[in-house]
Amino acid sequence: MSNDSNSEHITSTGHKLSAGGHLDVHYVALKDEYDATLRAAGIQSGWSVLDAGAGNGVFLPLMADLLGADGHIEAYDLAEENVEAIQDLIASQRFACSASARVGDILALPYEKGTFDAVWSANVIQYLNDEELTRAIAEFCRVVKPGGLVAVKEVDISVWQYQPQDPKLIWRLLDALSDDVQISGAMRGTRVPAWFRAAGLERVSAITTLAERRQPLRPVEREYIRNNLEFLSGLARTCDLPEADHDQWKAIGEEPEGLISNSDFCYREMWVLSLGIVPNC
């Protein structure tokens, strides 16, 4: 594969796997599980919700349905092109509630204390180091009303698998990339509740979702998995790996359908929804 293939998944901010086209495919490929995760967050009708790091807005239609006519969504993202996509979505679709969008950094939210009933943030904190994660959660707590909800959904790629590929192949790749902030952040999803408790959130809980796809795969599932494999193949080119691993990743990048079309193919990913309540005091 070429570097251009990887660049298709990167926003103007430099964040990998966060461009609109990839987010659309990702959401549709795993829509049932994603929708169940959003519903499980406990967002209530009539609330005002900040979608912190909203991407191109894939969660907004269902979120609007949950909020109803008296609710409001503020979509917030660092990438201007994602915010433009959300504004187009708001303009072209009849959402069940009012919505607006703006560009900005989740580490410095431009909202007053207690502005929202809830913050929802999905697939965002993987781009933060540990110190930045502490700051982001503090900002989420600040802008949510006492008794309000903080909900963070994040992957845990320690269970990433593309069977019948030997799982040790991807383990060695992830180990070689361990200094990459996003890779480290994407292994932190299971541990986010510890950050919630450290921030003073109450009634902290977590819901784990395992998403698995086997044959026969839908076209959008094949596209999503193919995108992932091509992306990983590109990353492998930058790493110090055994020659045999480089050969395998090169072959996967050049012909991902060879793996995807295997009758025993099984794709697995996992994410964790961490929930906490802002104290009343």
Side-chain angles (χ1 to χ4, degrees):
M1 66 171 284
S2 69
N3 288 334
D4 288 341
S5 182
N6 267 1
S7 67
E8 293 174 1
H9 308 316
I10 300 174
T11 62
S12 59
T13 65
H15 288 161
K16 301 185 287 291
L17 299 180
S18 61
H22 178 76
L23 295 179
D24 286 338
V25 172
H26 188 171
Y27 178 77
V28 175
L30 303 176
K31 186 178 187 301
D32 289 347
E33 292 93 338
Y34 268 148
D35 285 356
T37 297
L38 177 55
R39 292 181 187 278
I43 291 171
Q44 300 296 309
S45 176
W47 278 8
S48 175
V49 176
L50 172 65
D51 188 342
N56 67 336
V58 291
F59 284 104
L60 298 185
L62 176 56
M63 188 181 298
D65 288 344
L66 296 175
L67 293 172
D70 294 329
H72 177 74
I73 299 170
E74 181 77 13
Y76 191 75
D77 199 82
L78 190 60
E80 290 187 9
E81 66 270 28
N82 279 342
V83 171
E84 290 172 359
I86 292 172
Q87 290 170 337
D88 289 343
L89 187 66
I90 293 170
S92 63
Q93 286 195 225
R94 185 182 296 275
F95 280 2
C97 71
S98 63
S100 56
R102 64 192 295 183
V103 176
D105 189 342
I106 64 171
L107 299 180
L109 296 173
Y111 307 104
E112 297 295 327
K113 182 177 180 180
T115 299
F116 301 98
D117 295 293
V119 166
W120 161 267
S121 186
N123 300 345
V124 177
I125 63 167
Q126 63 186 265
Y127 300 104
L128 308 178
N129 61 34
D130 287 357
E131 187 272 332
E132 290 170 334
L133 175 57
T134 298
R135 289 167 53 195
I137 293 174
E139 280 290 88
F140 295 168
C141 294
R142 181 183 65 80
V143 302
V144 171
K145 300 172 184 176
L149 172 70
V150 176
V152 172
K153 178 264 176 198
E154 192 51 87
V155 296
D156 186 333
I157 60 172
S158 63
V159 300
W160 223 356
Q161 292 190 26
Y162 298 84
Q163 299 280 4
Q165 177 196 73
D166 184 348
K168 295 189 293 295
L169 183 68
I170 194 167
W171 296 347
R172 288 190 293 269
L173 174 60
L174 295 178
D175 184 57
L177 292 165
S178 60
D179 291 335
D180 182 284
V181 169
Q182 185 180 3
I183 295 299
S184 297
M187 290 186 174
R188 199 173 46 196
T190 305
R191 296 182 285 121
V192 172
W195 267 267
F196 275 30
R197 284 187 284 271
L201 287 166
E202 299 177 344
R203 291 159 51 191
V204 174
S205 62
I207 301 171
T208 298
T209 299
L210 177 68
E212 181 177 284
R213 294 294 184 269
R214 295 178 180 268
Q215 301 293 4
L217 298 170
R218 295 180 295 142
V220 69
E221 293 167 347
R222 299 183 78 96
E223 182 179 0
Y224 169 58
I225 294 165
R226 183 172 61 250
N227 288 345
N228 283 350
L229 289 171
E230 290 176 345
F231 183 79
L232 291 169
S233 176
L235 291 180
R237 294 173 56 192
T238 71
C239 295
D240 182 14
L241 293 169
E243 184 177 354
D245 284 20
H246 277 296
D247 290 344
Q248 288 186 68
W249 282 117
K250 183 175 184 292
I252 289 169
E254 291 175 348
E255 190 54 47
E257 289 292 337
L259 175 60
I260 296 170
S261 296
N262 190 295
S263 58
D264 294 318
F265 180 77
C266 176
Y267 170 72
R268 287 178 181 167
E269 72 172 78
M270 186 184 86
W271 59 80
V272 179
L273 174 65
S274 298
L275 303 169
I277 302 299
V278 175
N280 282 307
C281 58

